[in-house]
């Protein structure tokens, strides 16, 4: 009988300890989550354009967005409808990248999401347009990477694949996994 009584009292003690302990654990989780929500932006701007110049004072690239929200403590700028335009040497603007949403980080990387279009601004480019859903741009090295499905449109072809890496300075593009190529055979318009 004593053994049963000890087990019952021990069980009641364990249950009581769990009931008293559990509310405090949930409260701490809520406080931690609220801490993340309490970061207030340093500024929010609409229609802002950021121009970045190289060491020689030449325009290197531009980032524009319908709306930018900057958070200094975490080194993040959230972008709504961003447009990134790269300028390589004296050649003028070569590529324009548009997306629905983006994030620009303190390490100068730009992450774009949803309905991304890379459009060639040069009439002589072999590739006219690239579409994907997620893209990371290293604005210092001017490289572009994604692991998502990619569709590349050219003058006479369409290429589908998964993942790509592009170097905008070297004007190279490598597809990680080729899926399909469609050759249309259309000839360029003549003047």
């Amino acid at each position: 009988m004593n053994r049963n009584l000890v087990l019952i009292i021990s069980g009641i003690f364990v249950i009581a300890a769990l009931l008293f302990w559990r509310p405090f654990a949930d409260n701490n989780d809520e406080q931690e989550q609220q801490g993340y929500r309490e970061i207030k932006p340093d500024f929010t701007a609409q229609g802002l354009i950021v121009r970045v110049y190289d060491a020689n004072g030449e325009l290197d690239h531009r980032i524009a967005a319908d709306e930018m929200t900057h958070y200094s403590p975490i080194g993040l700028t959230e972008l709504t409808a961003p447009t990134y335009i790269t300028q390589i040497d004296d050649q003028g603007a070569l590529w324009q990248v548009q997306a629905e949403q983006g994030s620009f980080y303190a390490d100068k990387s730009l992450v774009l999401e949803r309905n991304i279009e890379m459009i060639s601004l040069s009439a002589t480019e072999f590739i006219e347009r690239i579409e994907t859903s997620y893209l990371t741009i290293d604005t210092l090295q001017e490289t572009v990477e994604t692991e998502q499905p990619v569709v590349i449109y050219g003058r006479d072809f369409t290429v589908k694949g998964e993942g790509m890496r592009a170097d905008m300075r070297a004007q190279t593009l490598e597809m990680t996994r080729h899926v399909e190529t469609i050759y249309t055979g259309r000839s360029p318009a003549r003047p």
Side-chain angles (χ1 to χ4, degrees):
M1 182 93 170
N2 285 339
R3 185 175 177 188
N4 288 339
L5 185 60
V6 171
L7 285 174
I8 291 172
I9 292 174
S10 296
I12 291 172
F13 178 74
V14 168
I15 291 171
L18 286 174
L19 287 175
F20 284 112
W21 173 72
R22 184 150 177 82
F24 296 117
D26 289 344
N27 194 19
N28 287 339
D29 290 342
E30 284 180 26
Q31 287 176 351
E32 286 180 24
Q33 288 176 356
Q34 285 178 354
Y36 290 119
R37 290 186 205 136
E38 290 179 13
I39 296 175
K40 292 191 174 37
D42 294 314
F43 70 84
T44 299
Q46 294 181 346
L48 189 66
I49 299 173
V50 176
R51 292 177 178 89
V52 179
Y53 296 87
D54 64 14
N56 298 325
E58 300 292 325
L59 183 63
D60 198 30
H61 58 267
R62 293 180 298 231
I63 301 173
D66 288 353
E67 184 173 294
M68 292 184 179
T69 305
H70 182 69
Y71 302 90
S72 286
I74 56 176
L76 169 68
T77 303
E78 293 179 341
L79 310 166
T80 303
T83 300
Y84 171 78
I85 298 176
T86 185
Q87 194 100 7
I88 300 174
D89 300 327
D90 299 338
Q91 301 171 18
L94 291 180
W95 289 96
Q96 175 177 298
V97 186
Q98 300 172 317
E100 284 185 24
Q101 178 180 331
S103 301
F104 188 63
Y105 294 94
D107 67 353
K108 306 300 183 219
S109 63
L110 176 63
V111 175
L112 300 175
E113 299 177 64
R114 297 195 311 265
N115 296 324
I116 301 165
E117 276 191 324
M118 273 185 79
I119 302 164
S120 172
L121 300 177
S122 171
T124 60
E125 283 294 322
F126 184 66
I127 296 173
E128 296 172 347
R129 186 175 84 239
I130 300 170
E131 295 178 355
T132 189
S133 61
Y134 184 89
L135 202 63
T136 302
I137 300 173
D138 181 335
T139 61
L140 297 175
Q141 299 299 316
E142 293 185 351
T143 57
V144 177
E145 291 187 54
T146 185
E147 295 299 321
Q148 297 300 311
V150 176
V151 181
I152 301 171
Y153 298 95
R155 292 183 186 184
D156 298 330
F157 65 91
T158 301
V159 178
K160 295 180 182 178
E162 289 186 18
M164 78 165 189
R165 176 167 167 61
D167 185 329
M168 290 188 264
R169 285 185 189 156
Q171 293 290 296
T172 60
L173 182 136
E174 177 184 345
M175 188 169 290
T176 308
R177 183 175 168 268
H178 176 261
V179 175
E180 175 183 47
T181 299
I182 300 170
Y183 177 71
T184 58
R186 65 181 165 135
S187 59
R190 298 187 186 247

